[in-house]
Amino acid sequence: MKLNENITGKTKLLGLFGNPVEHTISPQLHNTLSELLGIDAVYIPMKVGKDSLGEAVKGMKACGFLGFNATIPFKEELLRHVDEITEEARLMGCANTVKNIDGRLLAYNTDAEGFVRSFEEELGCGFAGKKIALLGAGGTARSLGAKLVAKGAARLHIINRTIKKAEDLAAVIGQNTAGICTASDFEDREKLRDIIKSCDIIVNTTSAGMHPNTGESPLGGDMIFNGNQLVYDVIYNPSKTMFLKQAESFGCRTANGLGMLFYQGILAYEIWMDIKIPEHILRNVYTLFSNYLRK
Ligand code: NAP
């Protein structure tokens, strides 16, 4: 037995604020990256009291952390406690990554870019000129919706159970692009069917169908796809939601949110370390990551 020398006074400090954090897999991802890249850093999960985010952020600064992530329920509130916010994160209304640059905290949103990278890689298509249905109007919908508009979507139909939230979101992310965003709910089935059939891409950002409610689908059981659509569900547990099964039964190509989860972490790590992670390491870590989640 010899002394454990893994962490020293020179080790770079990284972490995650969330509540709960018991089931996070971010430490496994980031600590494996550091090990494979030979970077002296450690990433720890921290359960922060619901009213204590401000104090926790000050603590990160005082202790000289290089950076940290924030997850549920802190992604929106985080914007109030940092020194600077990227323009994109401001439009998205939330951030999940902070970098400490010489004592100033800069907040980024890597969720949406993580989604883009996963979608393009797995489904082989971008968003420019596409008609897109975005299901949901919560935090994830806002991040992804803003990104899809920025990526040149021709039309973004925001469809949500609570119509008011869909309307508000369409107004926020459509503010500089008149006529691209529309809002509706799931109630008018004929209108909904027309929208879904007319779209090239359908993205679910609702939590309908997420474990343990695996029998639910945001669109209900009677939806018709045109078979050519690319369909993405940000949920990754279960790996194939009812929504994705429905789409596949019409011949649509699909992907789940595992790649988004992976890439939002990769992008955060690249921001903190100011590096581009080599492709062969990405492949290696993705295999470890997806096998770990399947356990
Ligand atoms: P959120 O802000 O609470 O929004 C939840 C959304 O889901 C709302 O639009 C809500 O509609 C809708 N919804 C909930 N239950 C529904 C149901 N039974 N039928 C229809 N709509 C329903 O949550 P969020 O943070 O955006 O997260 C949404 C999902 O994204 C979660 O499943 C989360 O795990 C997943 N996610 C995945 C990743 C990833 O990396 N893959 C990253 C972030 C989030 P109302 O407005 O009507 O309530």
Side-chain angles (χ1 to χ4, degrees), residues 71-72 75-76 96 111 114-115 135-142 144 159-166 169 186 204-211 213 216-219 232-237 256-265:
T71 186
I72 292 168
K75 288 186 192 181
E76 284 92 11
N96 67 329
D111 278 334
F115 159 76
L135 313 182
T140 308
R142 181 163 171 179
L144 270 49
I159 306 159
N160 194 46
R161 186 174 58 180
T162 311
I163 179 81
K164 174 79 173 68
K165 281 171 69 180
L169 184 57
F186 298 102
N204 176 43
T205 71
T206 77
S207 38
M210 188 168 76
H211 179 79
N213 303 314
E216 285 182 12
S217 164
L219 290 176
Y232 194 99
D233 198 332
V234 299
I235 295 172
Y236 53 86
N237 183 15
N256 71 23
L258 187 65
M260 173 179 166
L261 181 70
F262 176 71
Y263 279 120
Q264 62 76 30

Side-chain angles (χ1 to χ4, degrees), residues 112-293:
E113 188 58 33
F115 159 76
V116 167
R117 197 149 163 193
S118 162
F119 187 99
E120 291 182 348
E121 209 169 278
E122 292 175 72
L123 297 174
C125 180
F127 303 100
K130 301 294 181 195
K131 293 188 193 129
I132 303 173
L134 184 69
L135 313 182
T140 308
R142 181 163 171 179
S143 299
L144 270 49
K147 192 74 172 181
L148 292 168
V149 169
K151 287 271 171 188
R155 177 62 67 144
L156 188 70
H157 295 284
I158 300 168
I159 306 159
N160 194 46
R161 186 174 58 180
T162 311
I163 179 81
K164 174 79 173 68
K165 281 171 69 180
E167 287 166 352
D168 290 349
L169 184 57
V172 170
I173 60 183
Q175 58 188 296
N176 301 322
T177 49
I180 288 185
C181 298
T182 71
S184 32
D185 59 24
F186 298 102
E187 295 301 317
D188 184 342
R189 305 302 290 173
E190 208 165 316
K191 181 179 170 199
L192 183 60
R193 259 185 228 113
D194 286 345
I195 292 174
I196 294 297
K197 274 208 286 188
S198 73
C199 283
D200 308 300
I201 292 171
I202 305 160
V203 180
N204 176 43
T205 71
T206 77
S207 38
M210 188 168 76
H211 179 79
N213 303 314
T214 52
E216 285 182 12
S217 164
L219 290 176
D222 59 344
M223 200 39 60
I224 297 166
F225 296 79
N226 70 26
N228 297 318
Q229 294 134 330
L230 301 176
V231 179
Y232 194 99
D233 198 332
V234 299
I235 295 172
Y236 53 86
N237 183 15
S239 61
K240 199 147 283 179
T241 54
M242 184 64 79
F243 167 68
L244 292 187
K245 285 182 192 164
Q246 281 175 305
E248 285 183 4
S249 75
F250 285 88
C252 299
R253 289 177 50 223
T254 68
N256 71 23
L258 187 65
M260 173 179 166
L261 181 70
F262 176 71
Y263 279 120
Q264 62 76 30
I266 294 295
L267 293 164
Y269 196 90
E270 290 184 336
I271 288 170
W272 293 324
M273 300 303 170
D274 211 4
I275 55 167
K276 187 96 191 92
I277 299 173
E279 202 57 34
H280 70 281
I281 292 196
L282 282 187
R283 295 291 125 238
N284 193 350
V285 180
Y286 186 78
T287 305
L288 295 170
F289 181 76
S290 48
N291 288 344
Y292 182 83
L293 275 174

